[in-house]
Amino acid sequence: MDHPEERAAELPDSNESPERDRPATRPDPIQRTPGPDLAGLTIAGITRRRVAWILATVVALWIVAVFARQVTDAGAAVDRADRLRGENTGLASLVGELHQELDLVQQQAFIEQQARANGLGGKGEHPFILGPDAPPLTANAPGSAAVRLGAMAPRSAPLDVWLDLLFGPSG
């Protein structure tokens, strides 16, 4: 057990100062003196509150800009999806037309017609081929788009027909 005398010997005397027991320290060559407190100074009217408001405004504007960008990106995505739907509809109709054309070219009548065009007709048939120096057909030649079987020809007044015969076409 501890004896009270030993504890008393360990305690420093109240007359002795603890600073005397410390070794002497050299003074700092660069003496740092506390400067004036700058927290109270405002630079050009900028206070902490104003800086906080400016920072909050910048953050709010940044959030609005990011949100606006997301909205425009979403609108662009919707427009692109609509455009792709329209293209898909057009491609689906093209596929349908190509299936109809495939059905047409697989018919025996079409195959025989193309064979005749290449000189592969029957024994009694004579191939008909235009010569390389043949002039182009006129617009109203038989078989042309202007004179199709069952197409209604535009009717002119009899007086216009006579004037065209006597003086030539008007236009």
Side-chain angles (χ1 to χ4, degrees):
M1 270 199 130
D2 285 337
H3 296 292
E5 299 91 64
E6 291 176 358
R7 267 193 279 156
E10 291 176 0
L11 292 175
D13 290 338
S14 60
N15 297 343
E16 294 179 25
S17 91
E19 294 176 12
R20 257 193 285 166
D21 295 342
R22 288 190 196 160
T25 59
R26 291 187 192 167
D28 193 8
I30 303 174
Q31 201 171 24
R32 295 185 186 156
T33 58
D37 185 21
L38 298 178
L41 275 176
T42 60
I43 300 173
I46 299 176
T47 62
R48 285 184 182 182
R49 180 172 289 206
R50 286 185 182 162
V51 169
W53 274 107
I54 290 170
L55 185 63
T57 304
V58 168
V59 169
L61 289 175
W62 178 71
I63 290 172
V64 168
V66 168
F67 181 72
R69 183 175 177 196
Q70 292 294 323
V71 169
T72 56
D73 287 349
V78 168
D79 292 342
R80 184 171 181 261
D82 290 341
R83 185 173 30 88
L84 289 175
R85 278 189 210 103
E87 289 177 8
N88 283 346
T89 303
L91 289 174
S93 66
L94 177 65
V95 167
E97 292 171 4
L98 290 175
H99 279 294
Q100 289 175 350
E101 187 176 346
L102 179 65
D103 292 340
L104 175 71
V105 298
Q106 288 178 344
Q107 292 176 358
Q108 188 63 30
F110 182 81
I111 295 170
E112 289 173 1
Q113 177 190 9
Q114 291 302 313
R116 286 187 188 101
N118 291 316
L120 301 173
K123 292 181 183 177
E125 293 181 355
H126 298 285
F128 176 75
I129 300 173
L130 291 175
D133 58 342
L137 296 175
T138 61
N140 61 353
S144 66
V147 186
R148 290 190 185 237
L149 184 61
M152 298 296 290
R155 298 205 175 224
S156 301
L159 179 61
D160 290 335
V161 173
W162 277 105
L163 291 174
D164 286 344
L165 284 174
L166 290 175
F167 303 109
S170 60

